Amino acid sequence: MASFADRLQEEINYIGLSRKELALHANINPRALAMYLGTQQSMPPADVAVKLAKVLHVSVEYLVTGKETSYRQLSDLERDLKSLPQPVIDSVSLMIHTLAENEKK
């Protein structure tokens, strides 16, 4: 069963950051990050877990429990949309809005 440290390392690898870069972006001490990832695998305080999750584009719940959320999928979609020209974004947005409205009915 994967631990907090396992999921954290997996997300670090997925997003392509070094541990040092993650610590910098999350504004936490690199030594603290090493503790969360090391053999002791200590659990960070809630405020630190929130910072890590935010940088990694996942939920704290996922890091702690492994319960999947759609945050990564939404983040990937957002990244892909940003690479498209505005007229395409507008068309996709209208399509999504229409599909969502139809699902409500």
Side-chain angles (χ1 to χ4, degrees), residues 1-8 10-11 43 58-70 72:
M1 184 173 182
S3 66
F4 176 89
D6 295 332
R7 286 185 289 276
L8 182 59
E10 181 182 307
E11 295 305 318
M43 186 70 73
V58 297
S59 69
V60 174
E61 180 182 14
Y62 172 73
L63 288 177
V64 174
T65 68
K67 182 178 176 187
E68 293 290 336
T69 63
S70 61
R72 180 190 289 171

Side-chain angles (χ1 to χ4, degrees), residues 2 18-19 23-24 28 44 55-56 60-61 69 72 78 84 93-94 98 100:
S18 69
R19 291 180 178 191
L24 179 67
I28 63 170
V55 172
L56 296 170
V60 174
E61 180 182 14
T69 63
R72 180 190 289 171
E78 180 182 18
L84 299 173
S93 179
L94 178 60
T98 302

Side-chain angles (χ1 to χ4, degrees), residues 4-95:
F4 176 89
D6 295 332
R7 286 185 289 276
L8 182 59
Q9 186 61 59
E10 181 182 307
E11 295 305 318
I12 291 169
N13 295 343
Y14 178 80
I15 203 163
L17 289 176
S18 69
R19 291 180 178 191
K20 185 177 180 179
E21 290 170 323
L22 175 58
L24 179 67
H25 290 298
N27 196 26
I28 63 170
N29 188 311
R31 289 178 135 177
L33 180 59
M35 286 183 358
Y36 310 140
L37 291 164
T39 55
Q40 294 178 2
Q41 297 186 0
S42 62
M43 186 70 73
D47 62 322
V48 173
V50 168
K51 290 177 183 181
L52 292 168
K54 186 174 181 177
V55 172
L56 296 170
H57 305 289
V58 297
S59 69
V60 174
E61 180 182 14
Y62 172 73
L63 288 177
V64 174
T65 68
K67 182 178 176 187
E68 293 290 336
T69 63
S70 61
Y71 294 120
R72 180 190 289 171
Q73 185 180 16
L74 290 174
S75 178
D76 289 348
L77 284 172
E78 180 182 18
R79 182 197 64 236
D80 291 344
L81 279 171
K82 286 179 180 180
S83 70
L84 299 173
Q86 191 61 46
V88 174
I89 293 172
D90 294 341
S91 296
V92 170
S93 179
L94 178 60
M95 182 178 63

